[in-house]
Amino acid sequence: GNSVTQMEGPVTLSEEAFLTINCTYTATGYPSLFWYVQYPGEGLQLLLKATKADDKGSNKGFEATYRKETTSFHLEKGSVQVSDSAVYFCALKVKAAGNKLTFGGGTRVLVKP
Amino acid sequence: NAGVTQTPKFRVLKTGQSMTLLCAQDMNHEYMYWYRQDPGMGLRLIHYSVGEGTTAKGEVPDGYNVSRLKKQNFLLGLESAAPSQTSVYFCASSYDSLLAYEQYFGPGTRLTVT
């Protein structure tokens, strides 16, 4: 089946620190990969996506590269801000599974000033 | 532009009571979804709809029913609530299910069953 594994949080870091959130997946088929972000009290928002191997998704200073050889899609940001405090979800879609999203468990990130 | 809205935002039920959660979208999307979010488990798909008048089961459908009588609305019903249904419920919609189309999420409904 399809599954997504993320590093467990919470991840606590200081402002301007480097952030990495690991995400690995298993999929029957060729997936598209997504990172969603959930700010406190809100629904999920798409942060970035990649639809084929070696694609790099980027948005708001965040980046993630689709690595087929390691089945990974790690999220990175070079200098975090307090406003980046949120829960981050890695997810995949596979055509064979009706294009429904499969989510990882989420990683809570807390950035302190 | 409201996007995806959910009613109510919070609810407390006693075991055995029933309720309906309403999701509405104003983006003319064909696809709508109901998820539940539990700590450490991400979001799990309960039911979804590929168009007005259609519904289908997702990953965790037991204990829930849904209806899509109008394109813009997707209702989630709990006929006899159980404590295991304590969760945060999210509705989402998308133009299509194809890989390129993202899902837009509502703000969520926090349900507690005592």
Side-chain angles (χ1 to χ4, degrees):
Chain A
N2 302 318
S3 66
V4 177
T5 303
Q6 293 180 235
M7 57 191 292
E8 289 191 20
V11 175
T12 303
L13 55 168
S14 299
E15 213 166 17
E16 299 184 3
F18 186 88
L19 171 68
T20 299
I21 304 175
N22 290 339
C23 170
T24 57
Y25 67 88
T26 58
T28 53
Y30 199 105
S32 286
L33 302 172
F34 304 82
W35 277 102
Y36 279 82
V37 59
Q38 183 181 28
Y39 298 106
E42 298 183 12
L44 279 70
Q45 303 173 23
L46 179 66
L47 181 59
L48 53 83
K49 67 181 180 185
T51 58
K52 60 182 187 294
D54 299 325
D55 266 4
K56 178 185 283 188
S58 61
N59 187 24
K60 298 182 180 180
F62 289 88
E63 292 183 342
T65 301
Y66 188 142
R67 300 288 188 201
K68 188 177 179 184
E69 64 276 12
T70 54
T71 62
S72 64
F73 193 53
H74 305 322
L75 183 68
E76 297 180 337
K77 186 173 185 182
S79 178
V80 294
Q81 305 300 312
V82 172
S83 57
D84 293 323
S85 298
V87 181
Y88 293 82
F89 292 92
C90 187
L92 66 80
K93 252 191 193 185
V94 177
K95 189 175 181 181
N99 284 327
K100 296 186 285 294
L101 281 168
T102 298
F103 286 90
T107 302
R108 184 176 298 278
V109 173
L110 177 61
V111 181
K112 296 186 174 180
Chain B
N1 188 0
V4 180
T5 58
Q6 293 182 230
T7 308
K9 287 186 168 44
F10 303 93
R11 185 72 186 268
V12 178
L13 288 179
K14 294 188 189 308
T15 297
Q17 288 185 320
S18 63
M19 78 164 293
T20 300
L21 281 66
L22 171 63
C23 175
Q25 52 93 6
D26 62 1
M27 296 175 282
N28 201 34
H29 285 169
E30 290 292 336
Y31 288 70
M32 296 187 76
Y33 310 83
W34 275 108
Y35 295 90
R36 59 177 290 171
Q37 182 184 28
D38 301 295
M41 300 186 72
L43 276 72
R44 292 180 293 168
L45 183 64
I46 304 172
H47 285 281
Y48 65 101
S49 168
V50 302
E52 182 179 319
T54 74
T55 62
K57 293 181 180 180
E59 182 185 354
V60 288
D62 293 342
Y64 305 95
N65 57 75
V66 288
S67 65
R68 183 100 181 265
L69 299 180
K70 293 183 179 180
K71 186 177 183 178
Q72 63 268 33
N73 295 337
F74 195 30
L75 279 62
L76 178 71
L78 286 73
E79 290 187 350
S80 180
S84 60
Q85 294 177 304
T86 293
S87 188
V88 181
Y89 291 85
F90 287 99
C91 177
S93 71
S94 66
Y95 178 73
D96 197 294
S97 70
L98 294 177
L99 299 179
Y101 291 102
E102 70 175 278
Q103 292 185 17
Y104 293 82
F105 285 80
T109 295
R110 184 174 295 275
L111 174 66
T112 302
V113 183
T114 61

